[in-house]
Amino acid sequence: MEVLQITDTHLFADKNADFLGIAPWHSARAVVDAILENATELTPLAHDFILATGDLSQDQTPASYRHFSSLMSELAPPVFWLPGNHDDGQLMQAELDAAGISNAKHLVCGQWQMLLLDTQIPGETFGELSSAQLSLLEQAITHYPEHHLLLAVHHQAVPVGCAWLDQHNLRNSEALKALLMQHKAAKVVLCGHVHQGFDEYHQGIRFLASPATCIQFKPLSDDFALDSMAPGWRALSLYPDGRLSTQVWRLPHHAFAPDFSATGY
């Protein structure tokens, strides 16, 4: 099974709106074009699903979600999504529903199951899983104990090494990890939020984060800092025996240069 992760598009109603030196619609447009070009080059390889892991909008407008839906309509696979801390969850669902984008949060495909959990706390930058969301995870691993698990969330559940970012993490990550430890099949946690590539194992669980389609945050930085790495996305291949291979793809270097003098947003 082939999966694409697209995350943190931070779209505005105005396609030309500036976000720390980058116009997010234009960088997302370039990412979609690159995915389409790669798919042509890699034919017959096709992707079965797209996981959009939050912060799809920056200004929380209907038009920003319509821009996202329009861009995703150019990619053949179905899209599944979850909100980030910058999203308006109710508006997001209404607009994506209207565009025909599925609201499904649990998918069972072959020997894998994919679960998308909502870590958004309205008005807060950090995330947390409600008891209801944790119950969904418990039900998934109870009902499908033999299926490998790809869990998608917005906030990072383990530190990525950026002090300013790690204070805005998933606050009850220990509860999440405790449940995952009960699952005997392979388990992978995929997040957005941190605008950088990340791939580490903790207690037998693989944690992945991926570049945004707009600005990138500089890895291992204690204070807010932007990175010179280009916008990108992640491709994942899930095998029946629980193996997962993955690659981060990026636009050409310097394709979109941010404002490095920015001290936050």
Side-chain angles (χ1 to χ4, degrees):
M1 186 166 58
E2 304 292 335
V3 179
L4 291 181
Q5 182 197 14
I6 293 176
T7 194
D8 295 85
T9 52
H10 289 271
L11 296 168
F12 293 85
D14 180 357
K15 291 182 178 181
N16 296 313
D18 180 88
F19 183 45
L20 303 184
I22 288 178
W25 182 86
H26 289 281
S27 58
R29 167 78 269 169
V31 164
V32 169
D33 289 343
I35 291 171
L36 293 171
E37 181 180 350
N38 286 347
T40 299
E41 291 178 355
L42 296 175
T43 301
L45 179 63
H47 295 92
D48 301 298
F49 303 103
I50 294 172
L51 299 181
T53 50
D55 281 1
L56 304 186
S57 175
Q58 178 62 21
D59 63 0
Q60 300 182 340
T61 58
S64 65
Y65 293 114
R66 292 170 192 165
H67 293 329
F68 174 81
S69 301
S70 178
L71 288 168
M72 292 302 100
S73 71
E74 299 182 31
L75 303 174
V79 177
F80 302 94
W81 60 272
L82 51 81
N85 52 289
H86 286 279
D87 288 308
D88 180 322
Q90 291 185 335
L91 175 63
M92 181 184 200
Q93 180 167 343
E95 289 295 335
L96 298 186
D97 282 352
I101 294 178
S102 176
N103 191 35
K105 297 295 186 276
H106 186 214
L107 310 168
V108 180
C109 312
Q111 294 303 308
W112 281 83
Q113 59 177 322
M114 293 190 292
L115 182 65
L116 293 86
L117 294 182
D118 183 355
T119 62
Q120 185 193 62
I121 303 294
E124 299 289 351
T125 306
F126 65 83
E128 188 170 277
L129 286 164
S130 68
S131 58
Q133 292 291 293
L134 289 170
S135 292
L136 291 176
L137 173 58
E138 188 171 21
Q139 292 169 23
I141 62 180
T142 299
H143 292 161
Y144 297 94
E146 306 298 326
H147 283 70
H148 312 297
L149 173 65
L150 176 61
L151 174 64
V153 291
H154 180 68
H155 294 83
Q156 74 272 32
V158 295
V160 298
C162 292
W164 73 275
L165 270 174
D166 286 329
Q167 66 180 324
H168 303 307
N169 63 349
L170 180 64
R171 289 293 167 89
N172 57 345
S173 60
E174 292 307 314
L176 170 67
K177 286 183 276 190
L179 282 174
L180 290 173
M181 291 294 292
Q182 299 175 23
H183 191 49
K184 302 307 179 185
K187 48 255 183 182
V188 181
V189 179
L190 179 68
C191 76
H193 191 55
V194 297
H195 291 232
Q196 59 190 267
F198 180 83
D199 187 347
E200 287 189 3
Y201 281 90
H202 292 257
Q203 298 175 294
I205 306 165
R206 191 173 184 181
F207 292 89
L208 298 169
S210 302
T213 65
C214 54
I215 59 169
Q216 310 301 302
F217 296 145
K218 186 176 181 180
L220 306 177
S221 175
D222 286 343
D223 300 316
F224 179 91
L226 297 178
D227 196 21
S228 61
M229 296 292 284
W233 69 98
R234 182 182 289 277
L236 307 99
S237 299
L238 312 179
Y239 298 93
D241 60 2
R243 288 179 299 118
L244 180 149
S245 62
T246 184
Q247 181 176 353
V248 166
W249 293 81
R250 292 187 185 269
L251 299 177
H253 193 54
H254 297 311
F256 291 88
D259 177 5
F260 292 108
S261 67
T263 58
Y265 70 98

